[in-house]
């Protein structure tokens, strides 16, 4: 299981990729390097910027979701997956929710979380492959092996 989306901030100024599995290197649109986000030995499974580019979210192999500021400091950190791998797939367009893919065994689920670590709705028991938010942030389409939710 490997979820490594690239995401641009809504204004197109920053690119947020997972660089090598343990580090996220933020890039300015002109190629200059931004902050580095490091999860140490936990490894990272996806990273995403919130709509205004002021916060980033990362997931880890240890089930942690971390929220980082523009300077690369952790501002929130919560366990989202009971030790299962958690990959951050993307923020809602409103910045209200973070879509997180939890993997464990043959099936996976998509769980919505607030940036403060409060759980929201879950779509589970399938293998998600793509997530697309409605532009108004009021819905999330999740496609996977043999299904669309």
């Amino acid at each position: 299981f490997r979820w490594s989306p690239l995401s641009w901030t809504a204004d197109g100024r920053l690119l947020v990729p997972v660089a090598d599995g343990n580090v996220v290197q933020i890039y300015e649109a002109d190629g200059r390097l931004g902050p580095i986000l490091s999860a140490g030995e936990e490894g990272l499974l996806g990273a995403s910027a919130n709509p205004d580019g002021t916060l980033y979210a990362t997931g880890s192999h240890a089930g942690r979701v971390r929220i980082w500021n523009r300077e690369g400091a952790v501002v929130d950190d919560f366990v989202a997956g009971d030790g299962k791998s958690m990959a951050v797939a993307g923020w809602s367009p409103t910045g209200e929710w973070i879509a997180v893919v939890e993997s464990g065994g043959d099936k996976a689920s998509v769980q919505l979380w607030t940036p403060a670590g409060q759980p929201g709705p879950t779509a589970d028991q399938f293998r998600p492959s793509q997530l697309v938010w409605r532009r108004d942030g009021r819905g999330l389409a999740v496609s996977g092996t043999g299904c669309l939710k």
Side-chain angles (χ1 to χ4, degrees), residues 51-134:
D52 66 7
T54 59
L55 296 172
Y56 312 108
T58 60
S60 78
H61 290 288
R64 301 192 82 71
V65 173
R66 288 190 176 98
I67 310 299
W68 311 73
N69 64 18
R70 284 282 301 262
E71 290 73 42
V74 175
V75 296
D76 208 342
D77 182 357
F78 54 92
V79 176
D82 297 327
K84 295 179 183 172
S85 294
M86 302 300 286
V88 169
W91 293 72
S92 66
T94 61
E96 182 177 10
W97 296 104
I98 304 165
V100 178
V101 178
E102 175 184 350
S103 70
D106 294 336
K107 301 291 183 185
S109 64
V110 176
Q111 171 82 49
L112 298 184
W113 292 85
T114 68
Q118 298 300 313
T122 301
D124 58 7
Q125 301 307 312
F126 69 104
R127 177 67 68 186
S129 60
Q130 186 173 7
L131 308 174
V132 179
W133 284 98
R134 276 180 44 162

